[in-house]
Amino acid sequence: MTQCLVLPVFAGSKILRKGREDPELQGGDGAPVTALTEEIINTAAAMIKTDRRLTVRQIAELLDISVGSALTILKDNLNMSRVCARWIPRLLTPEQKQNRVDVCLEWKRFVEEDRDWWKSVITADESWVYQYDPAMKIQSTEWVEKNEGRPKKARATKFANKAMVITFFDYKGMVYTHSVPRGQTINGDYCKTSFGYINE
């Protein structure tokens, strides 16, 4: 006849005897008491501000704590979550943004004088068309606070396999697309030869 030996579990009583009366304050199951000290939390916050692309495992290794404790600090104590960067066509400097505001205000003045004026406008824009974007979306994820917006990233970076394309469009949409030969500099002479005008 096989005898069963039942061993009592003393883990819970040992924790209570050591003074850990509220395990929820200790970073979850199995987290050490030292994992959630104010010093470690502040250090984690400083690390994230320095490099928002650190992984939970990297933070845990740098702080010498468990992965679960590092995740608890990030989500519960620092109120952060990991999100992907929001793709935008390009990143603009403050000066470029202000220039666009000034142009729009000037156009608004013309529209107030002639409401159909804007229908006669044809504008152009140039952009690099890439064979592929070498950076995967997952590589752009960063840690942000839950009330912060998503970070921004230009959709493509400079790469060897690319082509310059100039697109013309009016208020109805695209009217013409021109592919620039490799190595060609876009200047007044090239525009005059290719499009019959000089952009002054």
Side-chain angles (χ1 to χ4, degrees), residues 175-188:
V175 296
Y176 179 69
T177 300
H178 175 78
S179 180
V180 181
R182 182 183 294 272
Q184 174 64 50
T185 301
I186 301 175
N187 51 29

Side-chain angles (χ1 to χ4, degrees), residues 185-193 197-199:
T185 301
I186 301 175
N187 51 29
D189 292 336
Y190 179 76
C191 292
K192 182 180 180 180
T193 303
Y197 80 98
I198 300 178
N199 185 16

